[in-house]
Amino acid sequence: MLYQPKKILVTGGAGFIGANFVHFWLKNHPNSRIVVLDALTYAGNRANLVAVESQENFRFIHGDIRDFDLVLSLLQEEEIDTIVHFAAESHVDRSIHGPDEFIDTNVIGTHVLLKAAKKVWLDNLQTPRPHRFHHVSTDEVYGTLRPEEPPFSESNQYAPNSPYAASKASSDHLVRAYHETYGLQVTTSNCSNNYGPYQFPEKLIPLVISNILDGRPLPIYGDGLQIRDWLYVDDHNRGIDLVIHQGKIGETYNIGGNNEWTNIEIVKLICRLLDEKFATNEEMKKRFPYAPQVSGSMAESLITHVTDRLGHDRRYAIDAGKITKELGYCPQESFETGIRKTLDWYLDNEGWWRAVMDGSYRKWVELNYSQNT
Ligand code: NAD
Ligand code: DAU
């Protein structure tokens, strides 16, 4: 039977995937109401939601998922029936340099949400209120794959390697436990690497785009032969939408694009696509005077191999067979179309990435990565 959410609390809705989710959802389900709860960390940006800010069925709350009283009052006051939980510290490198915030937000924060949801939807009620708690998680909880191993399926054992992955694994276990113990109606999705608009330029794809345009080195960790399975962000949100409406309570669904690339291949592809843009558009040279193409070089000249990430997972790949078979999931974007769309978005939204990069992010990179950038 289809579940029909009416009033949704989206945590982390000002971040990359959360903001894309809000746009995706309000476009496809204009009759539902969305309340975003976001702490606006370095990764959260209210500008990501400007297009929906004035809609009556949208509300933004600047607040922390660790604030139990705030979460409880929001669930009650807004009569929320569905939580879609994106809020997290999400960058692996940051978790290596400073794991505490990852434990606080990803583990404690998720637990606060679960406690508040249980109190409002289950406690002291003869009949539980119709509700759903959808937890957005990652393929990194499964650890790393050898080249010959099959992609991760939902039955793979958890083996998280970074503090980020371990914090997400812990949150997955808490979500499961609240279902098994208290009967909270939960679903979880574990997705592979996303790319697309509004991704903070500390992650590989937007970092490479912005660094080429400004003529900065392209840091490749180690040999660059690590493999990730890339999915366009709307296709991730399409999967979440299916799980919310049709997913079985208590189940986990892997979401991925069957699209494995080594990091160096991705970087070279972006280099080639930007070289083509510069070769066919004189205006680009005026806009980005520090790009290597302006002085007759190719973007690949910026590639710089740097010290590898500690505990770097060699390969991730998702087997999306379960969501495909059970819920009819099918990504709509090919990598060819998705990466071109993404490139165009960053070219059309130069103001956005410059604004998010000239704040705390730059200072953090200088402190932690002076050898790499
Ligand atoms: P992001 O870092 O871009 O955004 C995270 C958002 O959460 C930001 O808006 C931030 O302000 C907010 N936030 C952080 N701490 C908070 C707190 N304590 N209270 C309230 N809000 C807080 O992350 P993303 O890449 O959009 O990832 C979203 C979710 O998807 C995460 O749970 C992540 O683990 C998961 N995920 C990400 C990917 C990926 O490739 N990016 C893949 C699979 C799963
Ligand atoms: O797999 C899903 C995960 O994907 C999500 O859970 C995480 O939130 C998300 O950040 C992403 O994690 P990765 O560590 O895979 O993404 P990142 O963009 O940081 O790195 C992608 C690959 O590129 C990884 O192998 C490290 C490498 N890399 C990254 C950066 C930023 C480089 O070689 N150089 C770089 O400068």
Side-chain angles (χ1 to χ4, degrees):
M1 213 182 69
L2 280 189
Y3 173 72
Q4 292 295 0
K6 293 186 189 67
K7 296 181 177 172
I8 308 176
L9 180 69
V10 177
T11 71
F16 162 48
I17 308 175
N20 278 288
F21 175 83
V22 171
H23 295 299
F24 180 92
W25 191 274
L26 288 176
K27 195 168 139 217
N28 290 295
H29 310 288
N31 294 328
S32 52
R33 176 168 175 75
I34 282 196
V35 177
V36 164
L37 174 62
D38 197 297
L40 298 180
T41 67
Y42 80 94
N45 194 337
R46 214 156 158 183
N48 301 357
L49 296 166
V50 80
V52 295
E53 193 83 37
S54 60
Q55 285 185 211
E56 269 182 15
N57 57 349
F58 175 81
R59 181 180 174 196
F60 181 84
I61 305 288
H62 182 194
D64 200 303
I65 58 166
R66 290 167 290 187
D67 183 343
F68 179 78
D69 293 339
L70 171 66
V71 174
L72 191 68
S73 68
L74 264 181
L75 293 180
Q76 286 166 333
E77 178 195 328
E78 286 282 349
E79 297 178 332
I80 297 291
D81 54 42
T82 304
I83 295 175
V84 187
H85 177 33
F86 292 93
E89 288 295 333
S90 70
H91 192 40
V92 174
D93 291 326
R94 287 179 189 257
S95 84
I96 294 166
H97 290 275
D100 297 67
E101 200 65 24
F102 287 72
I103 307 304
D104 282 353
T105 284
N106 301 0
V107 185
I108 310 291
T110 301
H111 187 232
V112 167
L113 289 173
L114 289 164
K115 271 197 303 185
K118 170 178 169 287
K119 191 167 172 82
V120 173
W121 292 337
L122 296 179
D123 287 355
N124 305 321
L125 296 173
Q126 279 181 341
T127 325
R129 291 201 197 151
H131 67 270
R132 193 62 50 91
F133 186 110
H134 181 73
H135 176 54
V136 180
S137 193
T138 171
D139 59 359
E140 302 205 10
V141 298
Y142 299 120
T144 189
L145 288 168
R146 287 192 295 277
E148 71 284 3
E149 283 184 302
F152 302 126
S153 79
E154 291 78 1
S155 58
N156 269 65
Q157 204 177 341
Y158 273 34
N161 289 319
S162 70
Y164 161 70
S167 69
K168 292 297 292 186
S170 312
S171 64
D172 293 10
H173 291 321
L174 284 167
V175 170
R176 180 188 145 83
Y178 265 67
H179 171 66
E180 296 293 333
T181 306
Y182 305 112
L184 197 71
Q185 302 192 348
V186 308
T187 45
T188 295
S189 50
N190 294 79
C191 189
S192 58
N193 284 62
N194 283 214
Y195 68 100
Y198 302 113
Q199 187 167 31
F200 197 88
E202 64 185 347
K203 307 281 169 65
L204 184 69
I205 288 180
L207 177 98
V208 166
I209 296 172
S210 55
N211 278 13
I212 293 173
L213 294 174
D214 279 348
R216 288 191 296 264
L218 308 179
I220 307 290
Y221 298 166
D223 61 11
L225 297 178
Q226 305 84 1
I227 291 172
R228 297 291 182 267
D229 183 352
W230 294 92
L231 185 69
Y232 191 70
V233 63
D234 279 354
D235 283 326
H236 180 186
N237 286 327
R238 201 179 309 288
I240 293 174
D241 182 322
L242 277 175
V243 175
I244 292 170
H245 282 103
Q246 301 176 43
K248 274 198 212 126
I249 291 164
E251 293 279 314
T252 285
Y253 296 86
N254 283 356
I255 306 178
N258 196 18
N259 182 41
E260 291 181 56
W261 288 71
T262 63
N263 294 336
I264 192 76
E265 283 172 330
I266 295 265
V267 173
K268 287 186 175 172
L269 171 68
I270 296 170
C271 286
R272 184 172 58 74
L273 291 175
L274 272 175
D275 284 345
E276 281 169 19
K277 293 237 180 234
F278 276 93
T280 54
N281 182 346
E282 277 303 307
E283 192 55 31
M284 293 271 291
K285 294 189 178 158
K286 288 190 202 129
R287 281 181 63 196
F288 303 105
Y290 301 108
Q293 295 89 343
V294 175
S295 51
S297 295
M298 313 285 266
E300 277 193 26
S301 63
L302 297 173
I303 288 178
T304 312
H305 285 266
V306 299
T307 315
D308 207 351
R309 177 185 274 176
L310 290 177
H312 200 168
D313 285 336
R314 201 66 186 162
R315 174 177 167 235
Y316 303 142
I318 279 280
D319 172 354
K322 176 176 173 182
I323 189 170
T324 304
K325 222 178 294 146
E326 292 186 13
L327 310 184
Y329 174 68
C330 182
Q332 289 187 3
E333 211 68 61
S334 71
F335 195 55
E336 175 73 11
T337 58
I339 199 79
R340 283 179 190 276
K341 260 190 181 177
T342 304
L343 204 53
D344 287 341
W345 190 88
Y346 279 87
L347 288 171
D348 293 344
N349 291 277
E350 183 188 350
W352 180 89
W353 53 266
R354 290 213 184 281
V356 301
M357 284 170 79
D358 66 13
S360 57
Y361 169 65
R362 276 271 139 230
K363 288 192 197 98
W364 184 87
V365 169
E366 279 157 23
L367 276 175
N368 291 286
Y369 284 99
S370 46
Q371 58 151 356
N372 284 354
T373 52

